[in-house]
Amino acid sequence: MANPDKPSSAIAFVYRGTFVHSTQQTALQVLEDALLGVDTEGKIAFIGEGKQLEKLSKIFGFSTSEVTQLTEHEFVMPGLVDTHIHACQYSYAGTALDLPLLQWLNTYTFPVESRFKDLEFARQVYTRVVKRTLTNGTTTACYFASIHTDASLLLGQIANDLGQRALVGKVCMDRNDFVKHYRENIQESQDETCRFIEEFLNKKYPLAKPVVTPRFAPSCSGELLEQLGEIAKNNNLHIQSHISENKEEVQLVKELFPESESYTDVYHKYNLLTDKTVMAHGCYLSDKELAVFRETGASLSHCPSSNFSLCSGVLNVRNVLQHKVKLGLGTDVAGGYSASMLDAVRRTMDASKVLTIQDPEHKALTFEEVFRLATLGGSQALSLDDQTGNFEVGKDFDALRVNVAAPGGPIDLIHSEGPKTLLEKFLNLGDDRNIVEVFVAGRRVVPFIEPTAE
């Protein structure tokens, strides 16, 4: 627990009670009867022990009577990080899961995404998905939008207005033979991507950023991929896409890019694998490809709900981690039916156990390890871990206040449980009813404050 000698900003609020988070060395660290102060800049000013209350109040200039005491069944944890979600697919989440990936895209996804040229429709869907994810504890989201620049800019505005930390991508695709009105030509994609980036950056949102977003190799020509790699490099931007999600897709990439050694090689050739890249899925990456991810600093987003729902595959997370590749979790709405990261946590544990059923030598992930993937791991995958992901002095306070015994909630507590067991119960059984408050950069964003009529 670190405490600077002199505060740089005034203290906005202080919590006392149980805090749980992850570090690089420890999957789960439990701090009981701890004090955590957040300054007016939204950053963690100090973390100390409860018995240090008087001393810390004098150093940081806050009143001990204003400290918020957590109850017996409450704890504070870092916000959940969704490293891969399609905001424009939210309208049909929970349906249309009867086809494999490529057929699913052509039958359901592309026709719905083409509707986002209608800004009123976009506003309705995007407002709901940002509100829903925040309510479920997602403080950071990495969003795919659609090919429509103005609707994608609108998603950034909505995320900013509601207070979510967000990476927002205008989708780029110049190949689509099945829904021909839902694609761009190369020049249009390049021009609109540049317009999207310029207008987004000019807004100077404190927490929302644009991300270069080739949909995936099968829907992009090599020329377009090359241009997008240049745009990302010239603007020092994040990159997101998909890789090796299902076998049919991997085979298609081989046919479309016969000169490339592997799916990974396609992206690597066009400078799309950087330390600010996150690729969803990766179910069929070879060890050689994972080595390239490690060398370039690129990350993977594990989306088990989608992988199960579309019968795509099962990612061996343990193998990815052993290759020292950064990895976070994603809901992948609407291939994943739920916008809650708690569902992603549960499906991650299920997927790991499936691999252990198939191979008893496989070591299943523990809930502590998955907790880290959903918080600190996600921030590392998005190269945001210098700002968020756990409770360290100087980082932004992105956090959930959780009440495991919330009235009317889904969890019944029979015995007196310690904080580690309460966290496990929340991860396995909890939902938004247990999430009392959500903070992003020190600002309380849930419960929502609706604008008052003048």
Side-chain angles (χ1 to χ4, degrees):
M1 296 190 191
N3 303 302
D5 293 329
K6 294 182 181 179
S8 56
S9 300
I11 299 300
F13 56 87
V14 179
Y15 278 99
R16 181 175 184 173
T18 299
F19 294 80
V20 296
H21 74 150
S22 302
T23 68
Q24 190 60 43
Q25 295 75 32
T26 308
L28 173 62
Q29 185 176 62
V30 178
L31 308 175
E32 295 189 72
D33 190 28
L35 288 163
L36 186 146
V38 178
D39 67 24
T40 51
E41 302 295 315
K43 298 188 181 299
I44 299 169
F46 65 83
I47 306 169
E49 298 175 4
K51 63 186 180 184
Q52 297 176 299
L53 177 59
E54 292 292 339
K55 176 185 174 184
L56 290 170
S57 71
K58 290 174 182 174
I59 294 174
F60 290 91
F62 64 89
S63 170
T64 58
S65 63
E66 295 174 355
V67 174
T68 300
Q69 176 69 54
L70 302 178
T71 67
E72 177 189 1
H73 300 117
E74 287 186 320
F75 59 82
V76 173
M77 61 172 278
L80 296 163
V81 179
D82 190 340
T83 58
H84 184 72
I85 175 170
H86 292 262
C88 53
Q89 295 175 15
Y90 182 67
S91 64
Y92 66 96
T95 68
L97 297 172
D98 58 330
L99 294 172
L101 174 65
L102 299 182
Q103 294 88 324
W104 178 81
L105 287 170
N106 296 327
T107 305
Y108 303 117
T109 299
F110 294 151
V112 170
E113 289 191 16
S114 67
R115 293 185 60 190
F116 279 77
K117 60 181 178 288
D118 178 349
L119 286 181
E120 192 45 50
F121 177 70
R123 183 181 302 278
Q124 189 179 43
V125 175
Y126 287 160
T127 299
R128 290 185 180 182
V129 69
V130 174
K131 282 192 167 186
R132 179 65 65 185
T133 52
L134 277 171
T135 301
N136 281 288
T138 300
T139 54
T140 299
C142 190
Y143 288 116
F144 270 64
S146 65
I147 67 172
H148 309 99
T149 302
D150 292 329
S152 303
L153 289 167
L154 180 61
L155 174 56
Q157 178 194 321
I158 290 168
N160 174 73
D161 291 350
L162 290 170
Q164 189 173 56
R165 190 183 302 274
L167 293 171
V168 177
K170 185 206 88 67
V171 169
C172 301
M173 51 190 291
D174 65 337
R175 281 177 171 165
N176 186 359
D177 293 332
F178 294 93
V179 184
K180 294 186 178 180
H181 62 279
Y182 188 59
R183 69 179 182 192
E184 312 159 293
N185 62 48
I186 294 175
Q187 192 62 50
E188 181 184 17
S189 186
Q190 182 182 21
D191 292 345
E192 287 300 297
T193 297
C194 291
R195 178 168 80 88
F196 169 72
I197 292 166
E198 181 179 6
E199 291 190 23
F200 201 115
L201 292 176
N202 283 342
K203 297 289 186 181
K204 294 183 166 43
Y205 296 134
L207 300 175
K209 299 176 182 178
V211 49
V212 173
T213 307
R215 179 172 215 109
F216 66 158
S219 65
C220 297
S221 65
E223 186 179 347
L224 178 57
L225 291 175
E226 184 174 25
Q227 289 178 352
L228 294 176
E230 281 295 308
I231 290 170
K233 181 181 179 181
N234 293 339
N235 293 278
N236 189 27
L237 292 179
H238 283 77
I239 299 165
Q240 64 176 347
S241 194
H242 303 82
I243 193 167
S244 295
E245 184 173 353
N246 86 350
K247 291 181 178 179
E248 185 183 7
E249 169 213 12
V250 173
Q251 182 56 40
L252 179 58
V253 170
K254 282 183 181 179
E255 296 167 6
L256 291 172
F257 298 90
E259 73 286 354
S260 292
E261 183 181 318
S262 65
Y263 203 153
T264 297
D265 188 46
V266 174
Y267 291 129
H268 193 30
K269 174 182 177 182
Y270 296 115
N271 300 311
L272 289 164
L273 293 183
T274 75
D275 60 0
K276 296 177 78 172
T277 294
V278 58
M279 290 281 172
H281 306 296
C283 296
Y284 300 99
L285 293 176
S286 66
D287 286 352
K288 187 175 181 180
E289 288 176 282
L290 288 173
V292 175
F293 269 73
R294 168 63 181 165
E295 290 160 12
T296 58
S299 309
L300 283 174
S301 173
H302 178 38
C303 305
S305 180
S306 172
N307 295 157
F308 284 141
S309 292
L310 303 181
C311 299
S312 295
V314 184
L315 176 66
N316 187 332
V317 170
R318 181 73 68 195
N319 185 49
V320 173
L321 297 178
Q322 286 172 347
H323 278 81
K324 294 183 167 49
V325 173
K326 296 181 296 182
L327 182 139
L329 306 184
T331 59
D332 195 20
V333 166
Y337 50 79
S338 171
S340 171
M341 279 295 293
L342 290 173
D343 177 77
V345 164
R346 293 160 195 169
R347 299 293 83 78
T348 295
M349 290 191 278
D350 289 345
S352 186
K353 289 170 183 174
V354 165
L355 293 175
T356 302
I357 291 170
Q358 295 173 340
D359 176 12
E361 297 295 313
H362 176 267
K363 185 183 177 185
L365 297 168
T366 65
F367 88 85
E368 294 96 335
E369 289 177 301
V370 178
F371 170 74
R372 177 162 59 185
L373 293 177
T375 54
L376 181 60
S379 69
Q380 291 169 334
L382 298 180
S383 299
L384 296 172
D385 51 306
D386 59 333
Q387 302 169 52
T388 187
N390 61 1
F391 299 136
E392 292 181 1
V393 170
K395 286 192 177 184
D396 288 356
F397 185 65
D398 290 8
L400 315 182
R401 180 179 177 179
V402 176
N403 182 359
V404 183
I411 301 172
D412 292 315
L413 295 177
I414 311 300
H415 310 289
S416 178
E417 309 284 10
K420 184 175 175 180
T421 301
L422 292 179
L423 172 63
E424 185 177 14
K425 279 184 172 287
F426 170 65
L427 294 178
N428 283 319
L429 301 171
D431 61 24
D432 60 303
R433 289 169 289 182
N434 300 107
I435 300 173
V436 180
E437 294 175 310
V438 178
F439 293 87
V440 181
R443 171 188 167 193
R444 190 174 76 168
V445 295
V446 175
F448 297 110
I449 299 174
E450 299 297 337
T452 53
E454 294 185 4

